[in-house]
Amino acid sequence: MALHMIKLAAGAESIESFTEWQQHVMQQRRAAGLSANPVHETRMMPKRGAEIINGGSMYWVIKHKICLRQRIIEIERVEIEGAPKFCLIHFDPELVPVHVKVKRPFQGWRYLKDSDVPPDISPSSPAPADTPIHLELALKEAGVW
């Protein structure tokens, strides 16, 4: 079974603003002659990286809610002389909406337990994929969904 990660989408106000930010990152990488896949830079190298790249995803938290996931395709250690080591997490560009789940604030990234992974939103989901996040949360809180 794949191991997943969770990370706050710092600065993102909505799924749309997060999507725009990722598009910007991909444009910058293309212009620099690099792979167009989006990346995230982090200081800490995941010790369980082999488990993550074997089908794992990054679950993105926007405004205290897990909203999206993105498949992790590579974890790269970067060492530049005279600079601290860091790690680049490479993603598949596809952002997959998931059923919203409230998440308390935390710092950095964390591993995500299978029991905490929200399901993807698909055509067979109990509500249409375009259900606003606030409505989905209200339905869940009311016990309707």
Side-chain angles (χ1 to χ4, degrees), residues 59-115:
Y59 283 79
W60 292 104
V61 178
I62 301 171
K63 294 292 186 183
H64 306 289
K65 297 168 197 78
I66 303 172
C67 300
L68 300 166
R69 77 171 176 85
Q70 196 167 22
R71 193 170 59 83
I72 298 171
I73 57 176
E74 182 184 357
I75 299 174
E76 172 187 11
R77 179 181 297 279
V78 180
E79 296 183 35
I80 300 171
E81 191 173 323
K85 296 176 191 174
F86 64 95
C87 163
L88 285 177
I89 301 173
H90 297 258
F91 303 106
D92 183 304
E94 181 184 12
L95 292 169
V96 179
V98 298
H99 285 282
V100 175
K101 189 170 186 177
V102 176
K103 182 70 179 164
R104 295 185 128 176
F106 61 96
Q107 291 185 332
W109 55 263
R110 301 282 184 266
Y111 295 116
L112 187 62
K113 298 179 207 169
D114 279 336
S115 60

Side-chain angles (χ1 to χ4, degrees), residues 1-4 48 50-56 112-115 117:
M1 188 165 286
L3 181 64
H4 305 285
R48 299 173 67 186
E51 294 172 76
I52 295 167
I53 60 170
N54 189 23
L112 187 62
K113 298 179 207 169
D114 279 336
S115 60
V117 171

Side-chain angles (χ1 to χ4, degrees), residues 12-75:
E13 295 293 321
S14 65
I15 292 173
E16 293 77 22
S17 69
F18 182 77
T19 302
E20 289 171 11
W21 170 75
Q22 287 233 324
Q23 292 297 325
H24 178 72
V25 168
M26 291 188 298
Q27 288 173 351
Q28 284 183 319
R29 289 182 57 80
R30 264 194 234 68
L34 301 169
S35 157
N37 288 337
V39 297
H40 174 71
E41 183 179 318
T42 181
R43 260 185 336 110
M44 302 302 291
M45 181 77 174
K47 291 176 176 56
R48 299 173 67 186
E51 294 172 76
I52 295 167
I53 60 170
N54 189 23
S57 291
M58 177 72 78
Y59 283 79
W60 292 104
V61 178
I62 301 171
K63 294 292 186 183
H64 306 289
K65 297 168 197 78
I66 303 172
C67 300
L68 300 166
R69 77 171 176 85
Q70 196 167 22
R71 193 170 59 83
I72 298 171
I73 57 176
E74 182 184 357
I75 299 174

